[in-house]
C-alpha cells in the first residue's frame, strides 16, 4: 500500500511568519505534527510519503504514485484542501480526510472517500483493517477522548527538518476552562489528558536522534491544565533529560494566565528551558472577559500578571480579541494602551470570529446574527457575524490597532518596556552557527539599510549592546519578526 500524506497550504497569516522566515532561509515554522503522528499509526510495511504544501509543491506524479491520499487540515487551510481534493478526484485517487477541519464540519467536502474523524487513536485499527480488505466505510467517527498513553511518536523520518524553523510535540489535549469563542474544548474536552513523563522523554529523544537542535513548540492549547502532574513528574523529567544532553532544545508553549499565580511552576518551566509562552489575554475590558467566560483572566491585574511571568524569564506572546458584544469603540485605544504598557512585543490581535462548534457560534445563530461561515483567519479585518458596535466601525477600529502596534515607534518601544522586566534563565551552550551569521548579515542589510524603520532598528541595536548585550540575538529576532508583522499589517490595511 502506498500512502501520500498531504498537508494543504495555509494562507499568509500572522502565524505564517512568511516575511521573517525568508531571512532565515526557512520555508515554514512548524511541521504537520498530526499527519506525522497518523503516519506512525499505519502499518510499517506500507510505503509513506509526506508533501507539506507549505514547503514544497504537490505534483500530479506524487498523487499518481499513491493508492490513497491522506489529508489533514485546520479551518484556515480550507481553500487549499478543496483544490487538493479536486486534483485527486481528477487523477482518480481516493482521499482519506481527518483533523479539526473535517471533524467540526465535513459538509463541503464531497470528494472525500473516507472520513476518519475525532481523535483517531482508537478507530485507526478498524479503519486500517477495512481499508486493507477493500471494505472501508465512508465515515469512521470517534467521539471518545482517548488517553494519550498509546499515541505513537511522530514519524520524523518522513520530514526534511531543514525546511522548518521549529519542531513540535504534544504533551496534552483538553483545557479545564470554557471560553465561549474557543473550539479547542469542543474538539478535545475539558479534562486535560496527558502523556507520561517517559513518553515525553521518548519524544525529546526521538527529535534528538533525528539530529534536531533548537526550538521545540509544545503545541498544547494549555500546557498547565494539570499543574500537579506537570510539577511533580513531567517537568522534572524534562529538566533531567535536557541537562544530560546539555540543553539541546529551547521550548515555546501556550498556557493560561493563572500561570502567574504559581511561582513553583514558573520556576520549573524556566528550568526546563521554556522561554516563550503564548497567553490568551483577549481583552483589557473586564465585561468582555466576563461575557466570554475567560475565568483565568477575570478579576485580576492583567498587566501585573504579565510582568510577573516576564520576571520569571519568559517572553509572553499575547493573544487579543476585538469585537466582543461588550466592546465599545473605546476598546481600540484601550487595547493599544494595554499592549504598550504590558511590553508584549509579539501581540497577536484578532477580530472576533464565530467558529463552528463553539458556544459563541450557537448563541449568535440563535440570535440570528451569523452572516456566513468563517475562513478561520481572524486577522482579515472582517468577521462572520453582526457586531454590536457595527461591522464597519469594528473593521476600521481593528485596522487602526494593527497599524499602530506594528508601527516602528510602538513596536521598538515595547521591546524596551519588556527588557525592564525580563530576567532570562538561559541554559546550555550559546553556540553561534554559520547559518546564524549568514542570517545576521542578511537581516542587518535588509532591516538597517533597505527597509522601513531603519532608525529604530539601529537605535535598538545600540541600546541593546550598551544596556543588555546578552540580549543581542533576542533584539535581532524581534527586529526580524517585525518585518513579518509590519508587512502582514500592510496587507490587512489594504484589504
Ligand atoms: S483557556 Fe484557552 S484553550 Fe482553554 S478554553 Fe479558554 S481559549 Fe480555549
Amino acid at each position: 500500500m502506498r500512502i501520500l500524506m498531504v498537508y494543504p497550504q495555509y494562507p499568509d497569516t500572522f502565524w505564517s511568519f512568511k516575511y521573517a522566515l525568508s531571512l532565515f532561509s526557512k520555508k515554514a515554522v512548524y511541521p504537520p505534527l498530526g499527519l506525522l503522528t497518523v503516519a506512525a499509526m499505519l502499518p510499517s510495511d506500507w510505503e509513506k510519503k509526506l508533501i507539506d504544501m507549505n514547503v514544497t509543491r504537490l505534483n500530479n506524479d506524487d498523487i499518481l504514485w499513491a493508492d490513497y491520499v491522506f489529508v489533514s487540515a485546520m479551518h484556515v487551510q480550507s481553500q487549499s484542501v478543496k483544490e487538493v481534493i479536486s486534483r485527486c478526484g481528477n487523477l482518480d485517487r481516493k482521499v482519506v480526510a481527518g483533523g479539526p477541519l473535517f471533524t467540526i464540519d465535513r459538509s463541503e467536502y464531497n470528494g472525500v472517500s473516507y472520513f476518519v474523524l475525532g481523535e483517531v487513536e482508537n478507530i485507526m485499527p478498524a479503519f486500517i483493517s477495512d481499508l486493507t480488505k477493500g471494505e472501508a466505510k465512508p465515515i469512521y467517527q470517534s467521539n471518545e477522548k482517548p488517553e494519550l498513553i498509546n499515541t505513537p511518536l511522530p514519524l520524523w523520518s518522513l520530514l526534511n527538518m531543514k525546511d522548518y524553523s521549529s519542531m513540535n510535540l504534544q504533551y496534552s489535549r483538553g483545557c479545564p476552562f470554557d471560553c465561549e469563542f474557543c473550539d479547542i474544548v469542543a474538539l478535545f474536552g475539558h479534562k486535560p489528558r496527558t502523556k507520561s513523563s517517559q513518553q515525553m522523554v521518548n519524544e525529546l529523544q526521538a527529535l534528538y536522534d533525528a539530529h534536531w537542535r533548537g526550538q521545540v513548540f509544545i503545541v498544547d492549547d494549555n500546557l498547565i491544565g494539570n499543574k500537579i502532574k506537570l510539577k511533580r513528574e513531567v517537568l522534572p523529567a524534562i529538566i533531567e533529560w535536557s541537562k544530560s544532553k546539555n540543553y539541546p532544545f529551547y521550548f515555546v508553549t501556550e498556557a493560561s494566565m493563572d500561570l502567574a499565580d504559581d511561582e513553583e511552576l514558573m520556576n520549573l518551566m524556566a528550568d526546563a528551558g521554556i522561554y516563550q509562552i503564548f497567553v490568551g489575554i483577549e481583552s483589557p475590558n473586564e465585561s468582555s472577559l466576563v461575557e466570554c467566560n475567560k475565568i483565568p483572566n477575570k478579576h485580576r491585574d492583567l498587566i501585573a500578571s504579565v510582568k510577573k511571568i516576564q520576571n520569571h524569564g519568559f517572553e509572553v506572546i499575547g493573544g487579543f480579541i476585538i469585537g466582543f458584544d461588550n466592546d465599545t469603540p473605546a476598546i481600540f485605544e484601550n487595547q493599544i494602551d494595554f499592549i504598550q504598557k504590558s511590553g508584549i512585543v509579539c501581540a497577536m490581535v484578532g477580530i472576533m470570529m464565530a467558529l463552528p462548534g463553539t458556544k459563541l457560534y450557537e448563541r449568535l445563530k440563535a440570535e440570528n446574527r451569523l452572516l456566513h461561515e468563517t475562513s478561520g483567519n481572524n486577522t482579515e479585518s472582517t468577521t462572520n457575524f453582526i457586531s454590536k458596535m457595527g461591522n464597519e466601525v469594528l473593521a476600521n477600529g481593528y485596522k487602526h490597532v494593527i497599524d499602530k502596534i506594528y508601527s516602528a515607534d510602538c513596536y521598538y518601544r515595547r521591546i524596551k518596556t519588556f527588557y525592564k522586566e525580563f530576567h532570562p534563565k538561559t541554559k546550555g551552550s550559546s553556540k553561534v552557527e554559520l547559518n546564524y551569521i549568514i542570517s545576521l548579515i542578511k537581516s542587518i542589510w535588509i532591516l538597517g539599510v533597505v527597509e522601513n524603520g531603519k532608525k529604530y532598528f539601529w537605535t535598538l541595536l545600540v541600546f541593546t549592546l550598551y544596556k543588555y548585550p546578552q540580549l543581542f540575538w533576542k533584539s535581532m529576532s524581534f527586529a526580524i519578526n517585525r518585518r513579518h508583522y509590519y508587512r502582514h499589517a500592510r496587507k490587512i490595511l489594504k484589504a
Side-chain angles (χ1 to χ4, degrees):
M1 190 80 90
R2 287 174 166 176
I3 305 296
L4 178 68
M5 324 281 303
V6 176
Y7 194 53
Q9 199 168 14
Y10 40 76
D12 176 20
T13 68
F14 183 92
W15 295 115
S16 68
F17 284 92
K18 179 176 160 188
Y19 305 107
L21 287 170
S22 56
L23 295 180
F24 290 112
S25 307
K26 299 288 178 191
K27 295 177 181 168
V29 185
Y30 304 117
L33 186 64
L35 270 179
L36 292 168
T37 308
V38 168
M41 296 176 192
L42 302 179
S44 56
D45 59 344
W46 289 12
E47 284 184 68
K48 297 149 203 132
K49 205 193 242 186
L50 172 77
I51 299 284
D52 176 356
M53 293 173 72
N54 301 288
V55 304
T56 188
R57 284 167 62 91
L58 172 65
N59 295 316
N60 285 348
D61 285 348
D62 297 317
I63 298 173
L64 288 169
W65 168 87
D67 294 312
Y68 295 97
V69 178
F70 281 41
V71 178
S72 171
M74 299 179 289
H75 216 98
V76 76
Q77 293 158 287
S78 57
Q79 188 56 42
S80 175
V81 166
K82 286 174 186 162
E83 286 159 21
V84 172
I85 293 171
S86 155
R87 285 179 64 189
C88 291
N90 292 341
L91 295 169
D92 201 22
R93 287 297 179 272
K94 288 188 172 170
V95 173
V96 178
L101 173 69
F102 307 101
T103 299
I104 295 277
D105 183 5
R106 60 177 189 277
S107 59
E108 285 184 43
Y109 306 97
N110 294 332
V112 172
S113 299
Y114 310 114
F115 288 102
V116 187
L117 305 173
E119 295 180 54
V120 300
E121 277 89 346
N122 292 348
I123 53 175
M124 274 312 267
F127 172 65
I128 291 167
S129 162
D130 293 350
L131 194 69
T132 312
K133 287 185 264 174
E135 295 171 0
K137 297 185 269 294
I139 299 173
Y140 292 75
Q141 172 113 39
S142 165
N143 296 319
E144 282 174 46
K145 305 278 179 254
E147 293 305 325
L148 307 190
I149 203 79
N150 294 322
T151 307
L153 292 170
L155 206 59
W156 293 116
S157 57
L158 294 183
L159 201 71
N160 180 8
M161 289 184 165
K162 288 200 172 78
D163 287 336
Y164 300 88
S165 64
S166 176
M167 288 296 116
N168 41 15
L169 62 83
Q170 185 177 52
Y171 161 62
S172 70
R173 293 180 201 154
C175 172
F177 299 112
D178 194 15
C179 305
E180 190 191 30
F181 55 81
C182 178
D183 61 346
I184 301 303
V185 280
L187 283 166
F188 298 129
H190 294 292
K191 181 178 166 246
R193 290 160 290 129
T194 58
K195 289 180 180 168
S196 67
S197 312
Q198 188 56 51
Q199 276 179 292
M200 283 299 280
V201 166
N202 294 347
E203 295 263 356
L204 298 175
Q205 188 67 45
L207 284 170
Y208 188 86
D209 291 343
H211 306 293
W212 179 254
R213 303 291 182 271
Q215 183 174 296
V216 175
F217 178 30
I218 304 174
V219 301
D220 308 21
D221 298 291
N222 190 358
L223 178 76
I224 63 169
N226 181 343
K227 289 184 193 154
I228 292 175
K229 181 168 177 179
L230 202 56
K231 286 195 280 191
R232 296 211 180 128
E233 299 170 31
V234 178
L235 288 171
I238 295 176
I239 293 168
E240 197 186 319
W241 182 89
S242 297
K243 202 171 162 192
S244 75
K245 297 282 185 283
N246 196 22
Y247 303 94
F249 305 140
Y250 43 90
F251 300 96
V252 180
T253 194
E254 304 185 63
S256 45
M257 191 55 110
D258 49 319
L259 171 66
D261 307 332
D262 196 327
E263 291 270 341
E264 186 195 359
L265 180 55
M266 287 190 284
N267 287 332
L268 281 165
M269 284 168 66
D271 286 346
I274 295 173
Y275 82 105
Q276 206 177 46
I277 305 174
F278 177 92
V279 182
I281 292 168
E282 323 311 358
S283 181
N285 184 6
E286 179 72 22
S287 52
S288 296
L289 297 174
V290 172
E291 171 191 322
C292 71
N293 196 29
K294 190 87 195 178
I295 291 169
N297 296 21
K298 284 195 284 187
H299 315 308
R300 75 160 63 231
D301 181 339
L302 287 166
I303 297 265
S305 297
V306 168
K307 290 191 185 297
K308 204 164 170 196
I309 298 173
Q310 292 167 337
N311 293 158
H312 281 77
F314 305 108
E315 182 199 338
V316 174
I317 300 174
F320 299 88
I321 299 176
I322 294 178
F324 291 98
D325 282 357
N326 277 280
D327 284 348
T328 67
I331 191 64
F332 306 120
E333 288 306 326
N334 291 346
Q335 283 280 23
I336 294 168
D337 190 49
F338 180 95
I339 290 166
Q340 289 305 114
K341 284 188 180 141
S342 69
I344 292 176
V345 183
C346 174
M348 188 278 178
V349 185
I351 217 160
M352 179 61 94
M353 286 274 184
L355 293 171
T358 61
K359 289 188 171 168
L360 176 68
Y361 187 92
E362 293 309 317
R363 174 166 70 82
L364 293 172
K365 195 169 160 190
E367 291 173 8
N368 227 357
R369 289 169 60 195
L370 283 180
L371 292 170
H372 48 79
E373 290 306 322
T374 162
S375 65
N377 180 359
N378 66 348
T379 60
E380 283 179 329
S381 79
T382 60
T383 184
N384 65 333
F385 66 92
I386 298 167
S387 165
K388 285 223 164 150
M389 77 167 80
N391 288 44
E392 206 177 321
V393 176
L394 178 61
N396 290 336
Y398 175 72
K399 287 182 177 181
H400 169 65
V401 174
I402 294 296
D403 189 25
K404 194 84 183 167
I405 62 171
Y406 290 115
S407 66
D409 178 33
C410 283
Y411 185 83
Y412 283 103
R413 255 193 295 138
R414 289 207 296 283
I415 299 174
K416 291 183 183 175
T417 307
F418 169 54
Y419 283 174
K420 279 189 207 147
E421 307 293 336
F422 183 47
H423 305 300
K425 298 185 180 175
T426 36
K427 299 270 187 310
S429 65
S430 48
K431 208 172 104 197
V432 177
E433 290 166 10
L434 181 64
N435 59 340
Y436 282 33
I437 304 290
I438 295 168
S439 300
L440 178 71
I441 296 167
K442 209 153 105 181
S443 306
I444 289 180
W445 169 253
I446 289 176
L447 303 172
V449 180
V450 179
E451 289 189 354
N452 147 292
K454 299 186 256 295
K455 182 182 91 185
Y456 295 93
F457 171 74
W458 287 113
T459 308
L460 174 70
L461 280 203
V462 172
F463 168 81
T464 307
L465 289 170
Y466 177 65
K467 268 200 107 170
Y468 305 98
Q470 76 280 17
L471 297 178
F472 173 76
W473 287 101
K474 188 93 194 135
S475 288
M476 278 308 300
S477 128
F478 279 139
I480 290 168
N481 284 344
R482 179 182 172 261
R483 182 172 194 251
H484 175 73
Y485 305 142
Y486 177 75
R487 288 193 171 200
H488 186 59
R490 294 300 100 190
K491 277 179 68 176
I492 294 172
L493 295 176
K494 273 191 204 153

